Amino acid sequence: MDETTTRSTVHTPGRPGGAEEPVGELVQRASQQLTELVRGEMRLAQAEMKEKGKRYGKGGGLFGGAGLVGFLALQALVATAIAALAVPLPVWAAALIVTAVLAVIAAVLALTGKKEVSQAAPPTPEQTIDSVKADVAEIKESAKR
Protein backbone atom coordinates (compact mmCIF):
# COMPACT_ATOMS: atom_id res chain seq x y z
CA MET A 1 0.00 0.00 0.00
CA ASP A 2 1.37 3.40 -0.87
CA GLU A 3 0.83 6.60 1.09
CA THR A 4 -1.90 7.97 -1.19
CA THR A 5 -4.28 5.15 -0.29
CA THR A 6 -3.79 5.41 3.49
CA ARG A 7 -3.95 9.18 3.85
CA SER A 8 -7.00 11.18 2.75
CA THR A 9 -6.56 14.57 1.20
CA VAL A 10 -8.97 17.17 -0.05
CA HIS A 11 -8.42 19.63 -2.87
CA THR A 12 -8.92 23.17 -1.52
CA PRO A 13 -9.36 25.75 -4.25
CA GLY A 14 -8.47 28.69 -1.97
CA ARG A 15 -4.95 27.43 -1.34
CA PRO A 16 -2.09 28.55 -3.60
CA GLY A 17 -1.64 26.28 -6.55
CA GLY A 18 -4.77 24.29 -5.65
CA ALA A 19 -2.77 22.29 -3.07
CA GLU A 20 -4.41 19.41 -1.28
CA GLU A 21 -4.88 19.41 2.50
CA PRO A 22 -5.06 16.37 4.73
CA VAL A 23 -8.53 15.72 6.14
CA GLY A 24 -7.12 15.84 9.67
CA GLU A 25 -6.05 19.45 9.18
CA LEU A 26 -9.47 20.34 7.80
CA VAL A 27 -11.19 18.72 10.76
CA GLN A 28 -8.85 20.50 13.18
CA ARG A 29 -9.45 23.86 11.50
CA ALA A 30 -13.20 23.29 11.45
CA SER A 31 -13.09 22.40 15.13
CA GLN A 32 -11.17 25.58 15.94
CA GLN A 33 -13.56 27.69 13.88
CA LEU A 34 -16.56 26.07 15.55
CA THR A 35 -15.04 26.73 18.97
CA GLU A 36 -14.44 30.39 18.07
CA LEU A 37 -17.98 30.66 16.73
CA VAL A 38 -19.49 29.19 19.90
CA ARG A 39 -17.37 31.48 22.10
CA GLY A 40 -18.42 34.48 20.04
CA GLU A 41 -22.08 33.51 20.31
CA MET A 42 -21.69 33.04 24.07
CA ARG A 43 -20.16 36.53 24.41
CA LEU A 44 -23.02 37.95 22.36
CA ALA A 45 -25.60 36.12 24.48
CA GLN A 46 -23.90 37.34 27.67
CA ALA A 47 -23.93 40.96 26.47
CA GLU A 48 -27.55 40.65 25.42
CA MET A 49 -28.57 39.15 28.77
CA LYS A 50 -26.69 41.89 30.65
CA GLU A 51 -28.58 44.55 28.69
CA LYS A 52 -31.91 42.80 29.29
CA GLY A 53 -31.07 42.48 33.00
CA LYS A 54 -30.51 46.23 33.20
CA ARG A 55 -33.84 46.85 31.53
CA TYR A 56 -35.62 44.37 33.84
CA GLY A 57 -34.05 46.11 36.84
CA LYS A 58 -35.14 49.54 35.64
CA GLY A 59 -38.64 48.23 34.88
CA GLY A 60 -38.86 46.59 38.30
CA GLY A 61 -37.88 49.84 39.98
CA LEU A 62 -40.51 51.71 38.02
CA PHE A 63 -43.14 49.10 38.97
CA GLY A 64 -42.11 49.51 42.61
CA GLY A 65 -42.53 53.27 42.35
CA ALA A 66 -45.92 52.81 40.72
CA GLY A 67 -46.94 50.48 43.54
CA LEU A 68 -45.91 53.02 46.18
CA VAL A 69 -47.77 55.88 44.48
CA GLY A 70 -50.79 53.60 44.00
CA PHE A 71 -50.72 52.76 47.72
CA LEU A 72 -50.63 56.47 48.57
CA ALA A 73 -53.57 57.05 46.21
CA LEU A 74 -55.49 54.28 47.97
CA GLN A 75 -54.81 55.98 51.32
CA ALA A 76 -56.09 59.26 49.91
CA LEU A 77 -59.22 57.46 48.66
CA VAL A 78 -59.82 56.02 52.14
CA ALA A 79 -59.45 59.50 53.65
CA THR A 80 -61.89 60.81 51.04
CA ALA A 81 -64.42 58.10 51.91
CA ILE A 82 -64.12 58.93 55.60
CA ALA A 83 -64.57 62.64 54.86
CA ALA A 84 -67.60 61.94 52.67
CA LEU A 85 -69.23 59.82 55.36
CA ALA A 86 -68.35 62.42 57.99
CA VAL A 87 -70.81 64.88 56.45
CA PRO A 88 -73.94 63.03 57.66
CA LEU A 89 -72.22 61.08 60.51
CA PRO A 90 -69.70 61.87 63.23
CA VAL A 91 -66.07 61.51 62.06
CA TRP A 92 -65.42 58.54 64.38
CA ALA A 93 -68.43 56.64 62.93
CA ALA A 94 -67.31 57.32 59.37
CA ALA A 95 -63.79 56.11 60.14
CA LEU A 96 -65.18 52.99 61.85
CA ILE A 97 -67.37 52.12 58.85
CA VAL A 98 -64.49 52.52 56.37
CA THR A 99 -62.19 50.48 58.65
CA ALA A 100 -64.77 47.67 58.88
CA VAL A 101 -65.20 47.55 55.09
CA LEU A 102 -61.43 47.41 54.60
CA ALA A 103 -61.13 44.64 57.23
CA VAL A 104 -63.76 42.54 55.43
CA ILE A 105 -61.95 43.00 52.11
CA ALA A 106 -58.63 42.01 53.74
CA ALA A 107 -60.21 38.90 55.30
CA VAL A 108 -61.70 37.78 51.97
CA LEU A 109 -58.35 38.28 50.22
CA ALA A 110 -56.50 36.38 52.98
CA LEU A 111 -58.88 33.42 52.84
CA THR A 112 -58.70 33.29 49.06
CA GLY A 113 -54.90 33.44 49.19
CA LYS A 114 -54.75 30.66 51.80
CA LYS A 115 -56.94 28.47 49.58
CA GLU A 116 -54.68 29.04 46.57
CA VAL A 117 -51.50 28.30 48.56
CA SER A 118 -52.95 25.09 49.98
CA GLN A 119 -53.85 23.92 46.48
CA ALA A 120 -50.30 24.58 45.30
CA ALA A 121 -48.66 22.49 48.06
CA PRO A 122 -46.32 20.64 48.01
CA PRO A 123 -43.94 22.91 46.09
CA THR A 124 -42.53 20.15 43.89
CA PRO A 125 -43.27 19.62 40.18
CA GLU A 126 -45.05 16.30 40.72
CA GLN A 127 -46.22 15.84 37.14
CA THR A 128 -42.71 16.47 35.81
CA ILE A 129 -41.19 14.04 38.31
CA ASP A 130 -43.70 11.36 37.31
CA SER A 131 -42.99 12.04 33.63
CA VAL A 132 -39.21 11.77 34.15
CA LYS A 133 -39.65 8.52 36.08
CA ALA A 134 -41.73 7.13 33.22
CA ASP A 135 -39.07 8.22 30.70
CA VAL A 136 -36.31 6.56 32.73
CA ALA A 137 -38.34 3.35 32.98
CA GLU A 138 -38.92 3.40 29.21
CA ILE A 139 -35.21 3.91 28.53
CA LYS A 140 -34.29 1.07 30.86
CA GLU A 141 -36.82 -1.17 29.15
CA SER A 142 -35.45 -0.25 25.72
CA ALA A 143 -31.88 -0.93 26.89
CA LYS A 144 -32.82 -4.46 27.95
CA ARG A 145 -34.09 -5.37 24.49
Side-chain angles (χ1 to χ4, degrees):
M1 238 187 225
D2 63 331
E3 188 177 50
T4 57
T5 58
T6 59
R7 188 170 172 193
S8 299
T9 57
V10 175
H11 175 71
T12 52
R15 297 202 37 125
E20 294 183 354
E21 269 188 85
V23 173
E25 282 184 34
L26 291 174
V27 170
Q28 182 181 6
R29 191 171 350 133
S31 175
Q32 288 173 345
Q33 289 174 348
L34 183 61
T35 301
E36 290 172 14
L37 177 66
V38 169
R39 285 183 183 154
E41 292 294 336
M42 292 299 288
R43 283 191 298 271
L44 178 63
Q46 184 180 18
E48 183 178 356
M49 292 306 292
K50 185 183 284 187
E51 180 64 29
K52 285 187 177 195
K54 287 179 184 177
R55 289 186 183 271
Y56 275 121
K58 185 186 262 183
L62 290 171
F63 273 128
L68 177 63
V69 172
F71 180 68
L72 294 174
L74 182 62
Q75 288 179 332
L77 180 64
V78 168
T80 303
I82 292 172
L85 285 174
V87 172
L89 300 171
V91 174
W92 67 267
L96 183 63
I97 291 170
V98 171
T99 302
V101 169
L102 290 174
V104 168
I105 292 171
V108 168
L109 290 173
L111 291 173
T112 305
K114 182 181 178 204
K115 178 182 168 189
E116 289 295 321
V117 169
S118 67
Q119 288 177 352
T124 56
E126 293 173 341
Q127 291 178 340
T128 303
I129 291 171
D130 292 341
S131 175
V132 169
K133 286 180 181 178
D135 291 344
V136 168
E138 182 68 30
I139 291 169
K140 284 181 181 179
E141 184 65 33
S142 296
K144 288 180 183 178
R145 293 183 201 156

